[in-house]
Amino acid sequence: QQQVKQSPQSLIVQKGGISIINCAYENTAFDYFPWYQQFPGKGPALLIAIRPDVSEKKEGRFTISFNKSAKQFSLHIMDSQPGDSATYFCAASLHSGNTPLVFGKGTRLSVIA
Amino acid sequence: DAGVTQSPTHLIKTRGQQVTLRCSPKSGHDTVSWYQQALGQGPQFIFQYYEEEERQRGNFPDRFSGHQFPNYSSELNVNALLLGDSALYLCASSFPRGGTDTQYFGPGTRLTVL
């Protein structure tokens, strides 16, 4: 049973465009939702994270939008750059940092010039 | 400040063998979690160690075991290797008592089972 569903599987965006990746979760007890960026041959690196008490969080060109009633959250990458080309994973976990992260299957983003 | 480090980087084993992977957490972190990432998939939680004890475990067989040392470093052991164990094994460290939920990942160990 997949608890976090991520879409699309792959995404191609023009340089300067907006990249949007969506995730849906099932467990209403989840209360921490991070996004990780992974380059080939590297481990995932935390990009941005949100808790359900806010509907949006922005850090630079990266924004998380959160819809608690729909049990959905999304990552928006504004002004996408070729250097953003990577695989992005959404994840969710229960309260506190010592609970396991449940990951989506990932989205491979390619930003083309 | 060194991040999470893992060794070795790559490893090739044959079916039936045993393997040990190592992880040193980020400075100040006392909790280590291990994840398995199959090709083209998201990481899957194996288990977590805190205060030298396994605290939580994912849906992995007993062939997967681990250990945490007093300096918070950790080992992942896999016995009786199967072809399906080929994956990137990731270690993540955290410091939950510090009030943060962030788990920091190492670069991983790529295990290939032939």
Side-chain angles (χ1 to χ4, degrees):
Chain A
Q1 180 185 6
Q2 184 186 357
Q3 296 189 56
V4 179
K5 294 183 179 181
Q6 183 171 348
S7 63
Q9 186 174 349
S10 62
L11 183 62
I12 300 175
V13 173
Q14 292 278 349
K15 179 182 176 182
I18 302 173
S19 303
I20 302 174
I21 304 171
N22 301 298
C23 282
Y25 63 97
E26 299 167 3
N27 188 344
T28 55
F30 286 149
D31 75 343
Y32 174 66
F33 302 89
W35 285 89
Y36 282 83
Q37 178 189 57
Q38 186 175 30
F39 293 103
K42 304 292 185 182
L46 179 67
L47 203 56
I48 186 172
I50 197 169
R51 289 197 172 279
D53 53 346
V54 296
S55 60
E56 185 175 283
K57 183 175 181 180
K58 183 177 181 179
E59 290 184 2
R61 296 186 293 111
F62 302 92
T63 299
I64 299 179
S65 296
F66 187 84
N67 186 328
K68 187 174 181 178
S69 61
K71 294 187 288 183
Q72 295 176 347
F73 59 110
S74 60
L75 175 69
H76 291 64
I77 305 174
M78 312 300 288
D79 186 27
S80 298
Q81 299 296 313
D84 296 331
S85 297
T87 300
Y88 293 80
F89 293 95
C90 62
S93 71
L94 303 176
H95 178 64
S96 88
N98 65 345
T99 55
L101 290 167
V102 179
F103 283 85
K105 291 190 174 184
T107 296
R108 179 175 287 186
L109 171 65
S110 297
V111 181
I112 57 176
Chain B
D1 176 25
V4 179
T5 59
Q6 293 185 243
S7 63
T9 305
H10 297 88
L11 206 51
I12 299 175
K13 292 286 187 179
T14 56
R15 282 178 298 173
Q17 285 190 311
Q18 178 264 344
V19 68
T20 297
L21 311 181
R22 296 176 176 82
C23 170
S24 291
K26 186 177 170 67
S27 178
H29 286 188
D30 59 5
T31 301
V32 173
S33 301
W34 287 91
Y35 292 80
Q36 180 195 65
Q37 185 176 21
L39 198 61
Q41 301 293 316
Q44 284 199 308
F45 174 73
I46 302 174
F47 44 52
Q48 181 185 81
Y49 277 84
Y50 170 67
E51 291 187 333
E52 302 179 49
E53 289 190 14
E54 182 182 296
R55 298 293 179 170
Q56 300 183 73
R57 189 178 184 92
N59 189 25
F60 279 80
D62 292 345
R63 299 187 297 108
F64 289 78
S65 63
H67 188 77
Q68 186 178 35
F69 299 94
N71 67 351
Y72 308 124
S73 67
S74 177
E75 289 182 350
L76 163 65
N77 301 292
V78 187
N79 294 321
L81 285 167
L82 303 174
L83 295 179
D85 295 332
S86 295
L88 180 68
Y89 288 85
L90 296 163
C91 169
S93 74
S94 58
F95 182 49
R97 291 178 295 114
T100 175
D101 294 295
T102 304
Q103 294 189 29
Y104 293 87
F105 284 83
T109 293
R110 172 72 63 186
L111 172 64
T112 301
V113 182
L114 302 177

